[in-house]
């Protein structure tokens, strides 16, 4: 009986978790907090640990397989994945439509669906009795590679489908969002690894990882657009198919439309020519498909591609310009990154003046010289990059680039670590590296210090007020008012803004420390699993690597960092200055002192700020509301409490002063 209950509960948890993943990753409309999600997830993990026989391959706990797989085995597709013929101008689209009309007869009404052509890689997902059993790359269309363990890490993908036919082959595109691509390449530059050329290569490279934990960290996503055996499902058109895929809870790109003429399609092509720049992912064109499946069947296939579809490809957005200089900048890990100063040129909607050159190997491989005319584009539509040199335009005046042997800031010798493409300044007290570390520490994704940007940091460094990031918390109004352009008000604001960041929590702090390989996502995962610095500091690399989403590289790097005496001293310094090194993951206490209470805070609470007081109440099982009503059970009234206090008095609700509140919370057991 007990076993049956556990099995029931496990099934229920799997379904609930999949439902909330769908709301979060596909619809972007979460209904529960991350905290509640994690709680359910942990319950399932515990249940599965106690009853390993309850683990199913489609359990959300099985998205990231623990062990690296061997090579990818070859799989023959049951239904081949065709490619598409291309059209490069509207005339070719018109010819495509005419051929169709001819084959179907002039009496036939033909409707077309246009979809964005997502620039990723096609994948086939096999669902058997609703369960995702195999994920295979397109390969040559006949035979692909089994990448199941890696594809399963994509959170928006359902691991099971309710009310599905016995077998479903779902086709779609695995892609990497532009932001994820940019962040990945930035990290690769810093880590001395070669960058990916574009979102598609990054997605392909990420799917071909032998360790699924690496894939899981890559933020891949998926859009579904086809079913291999659609006729068997009773679906009669492409539009209905896209709707059915949504009912199955796949992520379907919303930018599809039904059209009746080539003119309409032409307008749609024109619309996306520029609109596509603003998307969160790369598109290289539009796919135009005959909507009706009976007509598709009548049209059939050539040897390679369907006659009922064509891909309109946009010309690549490129520009020609001149490299006026190659400069080198220093990163926070000491890496020297070269970039090209360019003659300003307009490209994909902005004026470009600089392009990243990533590293010395990249420059050598493309043989980029100062004075060269080059073709540039924007990788991920964001980062200007040199595609190639136009060598015909050389006149002999160009000069080759040599990586400086000295750090551009401190002048100490630069070395290249074997196996890495990066040159690094190895001086541990290089002021240039310190500057970059400080900028990173204060940045939005890290401690998010309002008003502390590169200019302010430069000023503080110049005046000897900063020697490490912890010194930011020692800044006093008296020191700041001495600085140029700093009045009393600005100085006070800055000190307050910095003080406020003491409570950002462990996840942000971990990222802010700038530990190699520890990005925002890894930092969040680590802080959730080890919610205090002390717990994290005493964990072994093996323990750290058991955290879902944390691979050995991250675990080793973090461990090494946390064991270094300088790191320990630095974190202790932060703690002494009042910086919180824990993550708030405490579960609301069922028997807390505010259990069942509906509390309203009003007036000033000088000893607690509002957020702190509210957090305490929630942690102790209470609810915090903003207005007093008959449901309110307690009002904490600070200084200058106004109408809320008056209303509470009128309703006869219990009223506490700040002293009462302080006395009550003082009794909480730690
Ligand atoms: S339909 C038989 N729809 O483009 C039809 N393909 O050049 C097969 N692609 O291999 C493809 N977005 O990787 C289709 N909305 C979309 C697409 C799409 C991207 C890719 C897919 C395919 C390639 C063909």
């Amino acid at each position: 009986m007990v076993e049956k209950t556990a099995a029931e509960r496990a099934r229920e948890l799997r379904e609930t978790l999949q439902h909330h993943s769908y709301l979060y990753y596909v619809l972007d409309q979460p209904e529960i907090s991350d905290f509640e999600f994690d709680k359910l997830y942990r319950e399932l993990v515990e249940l599965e640990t106690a009853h390993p026989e309850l683990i199913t391959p489609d359990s959300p706990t099985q998205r990231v397989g623990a062990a690296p797989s061997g090579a990818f085995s070859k799989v023959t597709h049951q239904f081949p994945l065709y490619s598409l013929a291309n059209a490069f101008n509207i005339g070719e689209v018109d010819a495509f439509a005419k051929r169709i009309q001819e084959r179907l007869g002039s009496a036939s009404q033909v409707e077309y669906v246009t979809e964005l052509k997502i620039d990723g890689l096609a994948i086939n997902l096999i669902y058997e009795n609703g369960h995702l059993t195999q994920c295979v790359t397109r390969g040559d269309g006949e035979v692909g590679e089994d990448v199941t363990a890696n594809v399963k890490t994509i959170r928006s993908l359902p691991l099971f489908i309710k009310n599905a036919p016995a077998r479903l082959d779902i086709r779609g595109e695995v892609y990497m969002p532009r932001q994820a691509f940019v962040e990945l390449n930035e990290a690769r530059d810093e880590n001395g690894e070669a960058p990916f050329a574009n979102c598609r290569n990054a997605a392909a490279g990420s799917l071909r990882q032998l360790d699924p934990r690496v894939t899981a960290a890559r933020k891949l996503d998926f859009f579904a657009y086809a079913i291999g055996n659609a006729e068997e499902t009773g679906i009669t058109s492409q539009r209905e198919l896209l709707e059915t895929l949504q009912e199955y809870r796949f992520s379907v790109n919303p930018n599809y439309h039904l059209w009746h003429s080539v003119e309409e399609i032409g307008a749609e092509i024109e619309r996306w020519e520029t609109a596509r720049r603003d998307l969160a992912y790369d598109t290289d064109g539009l796919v135009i498909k005959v909507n009706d499946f009976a007509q598709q069947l009548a049209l059939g296939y050539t040897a390679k591609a369907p006659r009922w579809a064509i891909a309109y490809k946009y010309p690549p957005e490129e520009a020609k310009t001149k490299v006026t200089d190659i400069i080198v900048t220093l990163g926070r890990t000491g890496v020297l990154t070269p970039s090209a100063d360019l003659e300003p040129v307009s490209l994909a909607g902005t004026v470009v003046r600089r392009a990243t050159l990533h590293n010395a190997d990249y420059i050598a491989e493309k043989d980029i010289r100062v004075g060269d005319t080059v073709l540039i584009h924007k990788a991920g539509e964001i980062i200007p990059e040199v595609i190639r040199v136009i060598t015909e335009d050389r006149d002999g005046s160009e000069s080759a680039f040599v990586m400086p042997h000295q750090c551009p800031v401190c002048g100490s010798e630069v070395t290249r670590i074997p196996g890495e493409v990066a040159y690094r300044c190895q001086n541990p007290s290089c002021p240039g590296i310190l500057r970059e570390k400080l900028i990173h520490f204060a940045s939005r994704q890290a401690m998010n210090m309002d008003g502390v940007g590169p200019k302010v940091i430069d000023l503080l460094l110049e005046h000897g007020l900063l020697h490490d990031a912890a010194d930011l918390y020692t800044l006093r109004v008296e020191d700041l008012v001495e600085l140029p352009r700093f009045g009393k008000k600005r100085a006070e604001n800055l000190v307050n803004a910095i003080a406020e960041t003491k409570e950002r929590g462990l996840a942000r702090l971990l990222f802010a420390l700038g530990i190699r390989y520890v990005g925002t996502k890894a930092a969040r995962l680590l802080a959730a699993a080890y919610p205090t610095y002390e717990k994290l500091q005493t964990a072994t690399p093996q323990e750290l690597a058991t955290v879902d989403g944390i691979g050995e590289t991250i675990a080793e790097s973090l461990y090494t960092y946390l064991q270094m005496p300088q790191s320990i001293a630095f974190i202790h310094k932060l703690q002494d200055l009042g910086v919180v090194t824990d993550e708030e993951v405490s579960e609301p206490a069922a028997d807390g002192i505010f259990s069942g209470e509906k509390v309203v805070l009003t007036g000033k609470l000088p000893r607690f700020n509002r957020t702190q007081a509210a957090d305490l109440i929630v942690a102790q099982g209470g609810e915090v509301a903003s207005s007093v009503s008959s449901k309110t059970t307690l009002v904490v009234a600070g200084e200058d409490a106004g109408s809320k206090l008056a209303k509470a008095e009128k309703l006869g609700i219990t009223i506490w002063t700040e002293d009462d509140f302080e006395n009550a919370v003082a009794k909480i057991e730690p």
Side-chain angles (χ1 to χ4, degrees):
M1 273 318 271
V2 173
E3 290 309 301
K4 195 174 165 206
T5 321
E8 263 309 302
R9 180 64 185 152
R11 199 179 60 84
E12 197 174 277
L13 285 167
R14 284 197 299 270
E15 289 198 5
T16 310
L17 287 164
Q18 165 146 310
H19 174 68
H20 289 294
S21 286
Y22 171 71
L23 294 175
Y24 185 92
Y25 290 104
V26 179
L27 300 186
D28 205 10
Q29 285 168 357
E31 281 175 5
I32 62 173
S33 65
D34 291 2
F35 175 77
E36 286 169 289
F37 186 92
D38 289 344
K39 203 171 120 183
L40 294 168
Y41 187 89
R42 262 181 286 141
E43 187 185 342
L44 183 57
V45 171
E46 276 159 27
L47 208 57
E48 289 177 345
T49 312
H51 307 275
E53 72 280 5
L54 295 181
I55 301 175
T56 59
D58 61 13
S59 168
T61 62
Q62 304 302 301
R63 278 206 188 263
V64 186
S69 57
F72 306 107
S73 57
K74 299 258 187 259
V75 178
T76 303
H77 297 295
Q78 187 170 343
F79 313 95
L81 277 81
Y82 287 91
S83 72
L84 293 171
N86 293 322
F88 295 99
N89 54 56
I90 191 70
E92 291 174 8
V93 176
D94 197 40
F96 158 76
K98 287 217 168 75
R99 282 196 300 274
I100 286 172
Q101 198 69 61
E102 241 165 64
R103 280 192 177 256
L104 295 176
S106 54
S108 295
Q109 279 288 337
V110 187
E111 292 178 331
Y112 295 94
V113 170
T114 56
E115 295 167 20
L116 294 184
K117 187 170 185 303
I118 311 298
D119 206 5
L121 57 150
I123 196 108
N124 186 53
L125 311 172
I126 302 171
Y127 286 86
E128 286 169 302
N129 300 315
H131 298 277
L132 177 61
T133 52
Q134 206 175 38
C135 313
V136 186
T137 61
R138 176 175 181 272
D140 62 4
E142 304 276 342
V143 179
E145 284 180 318
D146 185 329
V147 286
T148 311
N150 290 339
V151 174
K152 275 172 82 173
T153 65
I154 301 173
R155 308 272 163 176
S156 65
L157 208 74
L159 297 175
F160 54 92
I161 307 173
K162 280 189 174 170
N163 309 321
R167 168 153 174 151
L168 262 181
D169 283 46
I170 305 286
R171 272 87 194 268
E173 206 79 355
V174 171
Y175 67 96
M176 183 175 285
R178 287 171 172 167
Q179 195 54 42
F181 163 75
V182 169
E183 283 168 17
L184 176 62
N185 265 1
E186 277 171 6
R188 289 178 75 85
D189 281 350
E190 278 285 328
N191 291 329
E193 296 160 323
F196 287 110
N198 51 46
C199 295
R200 177 169 27 85
N201 287 7
S206 302
L207 262 199
R208 290 193 49 87
Q209 291 293 326
L210 289 176
D211 185 349
R213 289 171 301 188
V214 175
T215 311
R218 292 283 176 87
K219 299 185 182 154
L220 294 173
D221 214 333
F222 176 78
F223 282 127
Y225 51 67
I227 297 183
N229 50 339
E231 305 81 52
E232 292 168 30
T233 58
I235 298 168
T236 62
S237 70
Q238 177 63 13
R239 182 160 74 167
E240 189 187 336
L241 175 112
L242 294 173
E243 283 161 5
T244 307
L245 288 171
Q246 280 165 287
E247 278 161 27
Y248 287 151
R249 305 200 144 191
F250 285 95
S251 181
V252 170
N253 190 284
N255 303 302
Y256 65 86
H257 292 282
L258 194 68
W259 310 107
H260 298 87
S261 69
V262 174
E263 289 69 46
E264 287 178 332
I265 295 170
E268 178 75 349
I269 288 173
E270 235 170 78
R271 183 164 84 87
W272 285 107
E273 175 123 38
T274 49
R276 69 196 186 101
R277 293 176 187 159
D278 301 324
L279 293 164
Y281 40 83
D282 272 6
T283 48
D284 54 344
L286 288 184
V287 184
I288 305 155
K289 303 174 180 175
V290 169
N291 184 42
D292 186 80
F293 278 2
Q295 289 179 339
Q296 287 190 4
L297 204 64
L299 290 162
Y301 295 80
T302 67
K304 276 193 248 148
R307 288 200 188 86
W308 45 264
I310 199 162
Y312 177 86
K313 290 262 192 81
Y314 289 108
E317 296 199 270
E318 296 170 354
K320 228 167 112 168
T321 184
K322 219 167 176 160
V323 176
T324 54
D325 198 4
I326 293 179
I327 58 153
V328 169
T329 51
L330 184 67
R332 65 188 157 84
T333 59
V335 172
L336 302 187
T337 306
S339 41
D341 274 348
L342 305 169
E343 268 175 17
V345 61
S346 160
L347 171 67
T350 63
V351 174
V352 174
R353 295 188 162 79
R354 183 167 285 183
T356 178
L357 297 173
H358 297 293
N359 55 60
D361 282 8
Y362 190 91
I363 299 175
E365 194 189 307
K366 296 190 186 260
D367 188 19
I368 301 164
R369 306 178 191 177
V370 175
D372 266 340
T373 302
V374 290
L375 206 58
I376 64 165
H377 78 140
K378 281 187 192 160
E381 205 64 24
I382 306 171
I383 305 290
E385 253 181 19
V386 172
I387 307 170
R388 64 180 174 86
V389 173
I390 302 178
T391 40
E392 307 89 90
D393 287 4
R394 279 190 178 154
D395 61 11
S397 67
E398 299 76 18
S399 52
F401 169 76
V402 208
M403 198 62 162
H405 299 293
Q406 268 107 34
C407 169
V409 180
C410 73
S412 59
E413 204 190 324
V414 164
T415 53
R416 181 176 183 156
I417 296 165
E420 282 192 5
V421 294
Y423 286 80
R424 287 175 197 274
C425 167
Q426 304 275 21
N427 174 7
S429 42
C430 170
I433 297 177
L434 173 63
R435 172 184 188 262
E436 299 307 317
K437 280 187 177 161
L438 290 166
I439 293 172
H440 172 75
F441 190 87
S443 68
R444 199 176 48 81
Q445 297 219 65
M447 298 309 269
N448 193 12
M449 291 182 174
D450 231 9
V452 188
K455 284 201 186 115
V456 167
I457 294 209
D458 284 340
L459 198 62
L460 296 168
L461 282 169
E462 240 173 75
H463 288 79
L465 291 170
L466 296 179
H467 304 97
D468 62 26
D471 287 347
L472 284 161
Y473 295 104
T474 65
L475 294 172
R476 297 172 311 166
V477 175
E478 304 93 276
D479 306 323
L480 296 176
V481 289
E482 304 292 317
L483 304 176
R485 290 180 306 281
F486 261 89
K488 181 142 182 283
K489 190 81 205 139
R490 184 171 178 204
E492 279 171 2
N493 286 346
L494 195 71
V495 170
N496 289 338
I498 293 173
E500 223 173 78
T501 70
K502 289 183 184 174
E503 275 154 57
R504 292 275 189 254
L506 183 60
R508 275 177 177 275
L509 180 63
L510 269 181
F511 176 65
L513 293 173
I515 305 161
R516 252 180 121 180
Y517 304 113
V518 181
T520 49
K521 188 172 172 184
R524 272 201 301 275
L525 294 170
L526 288 160
Y530 293 91
T532 71
Y533 160 69
E534 286 70 23
K535 285 187 184 147
L536 200 63
Q537 208 275 334
T538 48
T540 63
Q542 292 74 30
E543 285 166 340
L544 294 171
T546 62
V547 176
D548 201 3
I550 300 298
E552 274 148 40
T553 317
I554 299 177
E556 280 294 342
S557 170
L558 175 64
Y559 177 79
T560 310
Y561 177 89
L562 291 177
Q563 299 311 309
M564 291 195 306
Q566 311 91 289
S567 316
I568 295 173
F570 177 61
I571 292 166
H572 285 168
K573 182 172 170 185
L574 286 168
Q575 287 181 323
D576 292 342
L577 289 163
V579 175
V580 173
T581 58
D582 299 346
E583 191 69 8
E584 285 283 338
V585 286
S586 54
E587 193 165 346
D591 54 354
I593 56 169
F594 294 110
S595 287
E597 304 277 0
K598 287 200 170 25
V599 189
V600 172
L601 299 167
T602 181
K604 282 193 214 113
L605 303 169
R607 273 160 282 162
F608 300 85
N609 64 41
R610 278 285 185 95
T611 334
Q612 252 179 339
D615 285 351
L616 269 169
I617 292 165
V618 173
Q620 288 294 314
E623 260 179 69
V624 179
S626 55
S627 63
V628 176
S629 75
S630 58
K631 293 199 189 111
T632 310
T633 60
L634 175 67
V635 170
V636 180
E639 292 166 19
D640 304 325
S643 62
K644 288 182 194 173
L645 176 60
K647 189 167 178 191
E649 279 167 348
K650 212 165 117 193
L651 291 169
I653 296 165
T654 312
I655 294 163
W656 281 9
T657 61
E658 189 179 19
D659 283 338
D660 297 333
F661 185 72
E662 191 170 26
N663 290 337
V665 299
K667 291 187 197 121
I668 301 169
E669 302 274 322

